[in-house]
Amino acid sequence: MSDERDFLDSYDPAAYTPVAVTVDVVALTIRHSRLHVLLVERGAHPFAGWWALPGGFVQQESLDAAARRELAEETGLRSGEGLLDRVHLEQLRSYGDPGRDPRMRVVSVAYLAFAPSLPDPQSGGDASGARWVPVDEVGELAFDHAAILADGLDRARAKLEYTPLATAFVGDEFTIGELRAVYAAVWGEELHAGNFHRKVLSVPGFVESTGETSTRGGERGGPKPRLYRAGDARLLHPALLRPTREDGVR
Amino acid sequence: MSDERDFLDSYDPAAYTPVAVTVDVVALTIRHSRLHVLLVERGAHPFAGWWALPGGFVQQESLDAAARRELAEETGLRSGEGLLDRVHLEQLRSYGDPGRDPRMRVVSVAYLAFAPSLPDPQSGGDASGARWVPVDEVGELAFDHAAILADGLDRARAKLEYTPLATAFVGDEFTIGELRAVYAAVWGEELHAGNFHRKVLSVPGFVESTGETSTRGGERGGPKPRLYRAGDARLLHPALLRPTREDGVR
DNA sequence: TAAATAGTGTCTTTGAGACACTATGAC
DNA sequence: GTCATAGTGTCTCAAAGACACTATTTA
């Protein structure tokens, strides 16, 4: 069949410029009550020695699969072991400015990943220079990765408001206090414990009780909190809005 | 310099599979109080004779520029004439499943465009078979374009809630009634005129008064409505929520 | 005991939505 | 006149947030 020939004949020769497609992953987790992002140290030029988002070329697989594969490679986690499969992964957006990679035209499809606290990397991955970095300690990054990270953080902060995404940062069973710590870490501000508690329980389908309580109180005292699981809601109604930040960007 | 050689050596040969990058545009406008999308009729295989979203290959330009260029080509509008420059354009998401195009691996970056009522196409574009179609009359589309359109509509409906996007569908000066018609067309349901009126005026920065009134009343009577311009808000606070649809997807 | 936390009660304020009503202008 | 629309008033109910308070647990 001459389909591909027709295809290639049908557009402007300028389009023949070779293009590479990569995925980059903004992987977020919470450690010690602080939001962390997974970064890798680049070995090769350009930006050798710089920190960058994990990522790589898309192979013969879907974009989603490429992102999950890259995440597995950089964290050393294997599919089927449970941990990796519970990571929430969603497409963020694509970045394709000419010149964003000095070598050739590269269009990168960025992904956003949310995970419960994961072990340190290097345990088997091919990027030995990978580590979790608190998002407020991230310095300059290679390529346009700083902008991608900023977009990812914006998205994450917004999605906590109207989706039950926060449950992706905690284990299967969790306390309301742990859930509140997720919001505090991602939004960077404390939330009123009492009102948060009531609010979470009042949103239909956000969490469901396990009937159990934690075996221990908090580290610094307090009663044994009850345990909850994620509910079946995919959107929060009414939403859990952020403390009003100057009433929107004007 | 051997940079590009290093680059190409550094990844799996499977990645050498040639990839093409395209942009596809979900262009929405409102005509006669109904939401329309711009479609083009395909001339070449595959899907010859099918309707599809306008789009094409990314050239040596940014992704945003490619989307605006494709939109200009298909609508016949020229940049600099004003109309095209006022079209709101934003990236939707990317689609790259292997097999979505039967000829080769194609990753498409989809864009969403919102425009005030535009003239019919064919007036100079290279796609003579382009036309505006009411979204509820769109049949099967080529490739995965039906899914892209559905995602675009979801995004548009959601963004009306918390951004002043509706003003992108009307002219520079508009009445509250016209704005309400935009919401009604995009959401597919009537809104209570009185409550909508008060709500729009109560959101800081959504609209600002021009001090003028329309020169004529409505087609079927009524007083001369006041005229407004878009305000400087980029987010609506509080948001203008849709009439509650079954309280979220569960 | 002191301090921190879980969970609940209550009050105030804001906003959403239902409904009603007046005034205006096209036909 | 008739009818649709613009714009406002008012009432009710839900929800957000401030604050207070009790009970429980750790150190």
Side-chain angles (χ1 to χ4, degrees):
Chain A
M1 65 169 174
S2 68
D3 260 1
E4 183 161 338
R5 182 158 180 81
D6 291 349
F7 183 59
L8 296 174
D9 285 350
S10 69
Y11 63 98
D12 191 285
Y16 276 85
T17 311
V19 182
V21 176
T22 61
V23 292
D24 288 311
V25 181
V26 178
L28 302 175
T29 198
I30 291 174
R31 306 181 130 202
H32 319 300
S33 300
R34 296 177 71 191
L35 186 62
H36 288 60
V37 61
L38 183 65
L39 296 181
V40 299
E41 194 173 3
R42 288 183 56 80
H45 281 283
F47 295 102
W50 289 55
W51 290 91
L53 297 174
F57 292 89
V58 173
Q59 303 175 4
Q60 290 177 276
E61 61 201 342
S62 71
L63 300 174
D64 288 15
R68 195 168 290 273
R69 177 178 53 73
E70 288 295 339
L71 185 60
E73 287 174 7
E74 308 290 4
T75 57
L77 294 175
R78 280 186 202 80
S79 180
E81 281 178 12
L83 268 181
L84 181 65
D85 308 284
R86 277 218 302 274
V87 173
H88 171 94
L89 197 64
E90 65 177 53
Q91 194 184 303
L92 178 57
R93 62 165 287 154
S94 296
Y95 300 81
D97 276 359
R100 63 179 290 276
D101 188 308
R103 297 160 300 186
M104 68 181 290
R105 184 72 189 265
V106 177
V107 171
S108 176
V109 183
Y111 274 78
L112 195 50
F114 304 96
S117 193
L118 292 179
D120 272 308
Q122 76 226 27
S123 43
D126 58 9
S128 55
R131 71 183 189 97
W132 293 101
V133 180
V135 293
D136 49 9
E137 290 176 13
V138 172
E140 283 190 302
L141 295 179
F143 307 105
D144 52 0
H145 288 188
I148 298 176
L149 173 57
D151 288 347
L153 291 174
D154 280 351
R155 170 82 68 91
R157 289 177 180 131
K159 287 204 91 171
L160 283 203
E161 290 192 327
Y162 57 93
T163 74
L165 190 62
T167 59
F169 284 105
V170 294
D172 240 16
E173 302 197 337
F174 51 87
T175 69
I176 303 294
E178 287 168 352
L179 200 59
R180 180 163 47 85
V182 171
Y183 278 90
V186 176
W187 285 349
E189 35 190 338
E190 291 308 311
L191 283 88
H192 185 287
N195 289 338
F196 181 87
H197 192 102
R198 184 183 12 231
K199 171 70 184 175
V200 167
L201 295 186
S202 78
V203 176
F206 190 2
V207 300
E208 62 182 31
S209 174
T210 65
E212 309 287 306
T213 63
S214 172
T215 55
R216 255 185 70 87
E219 294 179 13
R220 284 170 306 214
K224 293 172 180 146
R226 297 176 196 156
L227 289 174
Y228 296 86
R229 273 189 294 270
D232 60 354
R234 294 201 292 179
L235 291 173
L236 304 184
H237 271 284
L240 220 154
L241 298 179
R242 267 172 281 193
T244 33
R245 16 148 177 80
E246 308 288 301
D247 253 24
V249 188
R250 296 285 272 287
Chain B
M1 62 170 176
S2 68
D3 259 2
E4 183 161 339
R5 186 163 175 77
D6 291 348
F7 184 58
L8 296 174
D9 284 350
S10 70
Y11 63 98
D12 191 285
Y16 276 84
T17 312
V19 182
V21 176
T22 61
V23 291
D24 288 312
V25 182
V26 177
L28 302 176
T29 197
I30 291 174
R31 305 182 129 201
H32 319 299
S33 301
R34 295 178 72 191
L35 186 62
H36 287 61
V37 61
L38 184 65
L39 296 180
V40 299
E41 193 172 4
R42 288 183 56 82
H45 281 283
F47 295 102
W50 289 56
W51 290 90
L53 297 173
F57 292 90
V58 173
Q59 303 176 6
Q60 290 177 276
E61 63 200 341
S62 71
L63 299 174
D64 288 14
R68 196 169 291 274
R69 176 179 53 73
E70 287 295 338
L71 185 61
E73 287 174 6
E74 309 290 4
T75 58
L77 294 174
R78 281 185 201 80
S79 180
E81 279 177 14
L83 267 181
L84 181 63
D85 309 283
R86 277 216 303 273
V87 173
H88 170 94
L89 197 64
E90 66 177 52
Q91 194 184 301
L92 178 57
R93 61 167 287 154
S94 296
Y95 300 80
D97 276 358
R100 63 179 290 276
D101 187 309
R103 297 160 298 186
M104 68 179 292
R105 183 72 190 263
V106 178
V107 171
S108 177
V109 183
Y111 275 77
L112 195 50
F114 303 96
S117 192
L118 292 178
D120 272 307
Q122 74 225 30
S123 40
D126 57 9
S128 55
R131 72 184 189 95
W132 292 102
V133 180
V135 293
D136 50 9
E137 290 177 11
V138 172
E140 283 190 301
L141 296 179
F143 307 107
D144 52 2
H145 288 190
I148 298 176
L149 172 58
D151 288 346
L153 292 174
D154 280 350
R155 171 83 67 90
R157 289 178 181 131
K159 287 203 92 170
L160 283 202
E161 291 192 326
Y162 57 93
T163 74
L165 190 63
T167 59
F169 284 104
V170 293
D172 240 16
E173 303 196 336
F174 52 86
T175 68
I176 303 293
E178 287 168 353
L179 199 60
R180 181 163 47 85
V182 171
Y183 278 90
V186 176
W187 286 349
E189 34 191 338
E190 291 309 312
L191 283 88
H192 185 286
N195 289 337
F196 180 87
H197 191 103
R198 182 185 13 227
K199 170 70 185 175
V200 167
L201 296 185
S202 76
V203 176
F206 191 3
V207 301
E208 61 183 31
S209 174
T210 65
E212 309 287 306
T213 64
S214 173
T215 54
R216 256 185 68 87
E219 293 180 13
R220 284 171 303 215
K224 293 174 181 149
R226 298 175 196 157
L227 290 174
Y228 297 86
R229 271 188 295 270
D232 59 355
R234 296 200 292 178
L235 291 173
L236 304 184
H237 271 285
L240 220 156
L241 299 179
R242 267 173 281 193
T244 32
R245 15 152 179 76
E246 308 288 302
D247 250 28
V249 187
R250 296 286 273 292

